[in-house]
Amino acid sequence: QVQLVESGGGLVQAGGSLRLSCAASGRTFSNDVMGWFRQEPGKEREFVAAISGSGRATKYADSVNGRFTISRENAKNTVYLQMNSLKPEDTAVYYCAADPTIWPRTTTSAYDYWGQGTQVTVSS
C-alpha cells in the first residue's frame, strides 16, 4: 500500500522556521518528482515546491521562493520542506505528493499519490 506521511507541522510565530518531512512507503519514489502543496479553508490547493527524482531540478511558487527549500533523501524515501521567514499567510494544511515523471510540475492533477496533510499555523 502506497503511503505518504507528513510530519513537522505546528504553531510558529511570524519570522520563525519549520521543517516538514514526508516519509514515503509502498513503492520506490526515487525516480518520482515529489511536491509540496498547501490549502487554506475554502480555497483551492496550491503548489508550493517540487523536486525531481535526482534532486537536481527544483521549482517554487513565487510566494515562497527564497524562503522555502525543498530537498530529498532517496535512501530514506523522504522529502523535506524547510520553511524560513514564515508569514501568517503561509498558514495552511501542507500536503506531500508524488508524480511519476521526470520534470517538476505545478498542477495538482499531475500528482498520483497524496499524503493526509500537516497543519502549519503562523501567528502574527
Side-chain angles (χ1 to χ4, degrees):
Q1 182 181 359
V2 174
Q3 273 195 312
L4 299 176
V5 180
E6 302 95 336
S7 62
L11 174 64
V12 64
Q13 287 190 327
S17 298
L18 282 175
R19 188 174 85 151
L20 305 183
S21 298
C22 172
S25 61
R27 66 186 291 270
T28 299
F29 287 89
S30 57
N31 294 325
D32 292 354
V33 165
M34 300 296 293
W36 286 96
F37 291 76
R38 65 187 182 187
Q39 187 170 22
E40 299 173 65
K43 294 188 176 181
E44 290 191 357
R45 195 167 297 187
E46 65 174 10
F47 171 76
V48 175
I51 187 167
S52 64
S54 67
R56 287 193 288 268
T58 58
K59 190 169 288 188
Y60 295 93
D62 289 343
S63 58
V64 307
N65 198 21
R67 299 187 298 123
F68 291 10
T69 303
I70 190 170
S71 62
R72 65 191 296 161
E73 283 189 78
N74 286 339
K76 295 183 178 180
N77 248 10
T78 301
V79 63
Y80 306 98
L81 185 68
Q82 177 67 43
M83 305 186 295
N84 298 329
S85 303
L86 282 161
K87 305 175 181 179
E89 51 263 44
D90 294 318
T91 295
V93 176
Y94 283 70
Y95 297 90
C96 172
D99 176 13
T101 189
I102 297 175
W103 297 109
R105 296 191 283 185
T106 63
T107 57
T108 56
S109 59
Y111 290 75
D112 290 349
Y113 304 100
W114 291 86
Q116 293 300 306
T118 185
Q119 176 70 48
V120 171
T121 303
V122 184
S123 63
S124 56

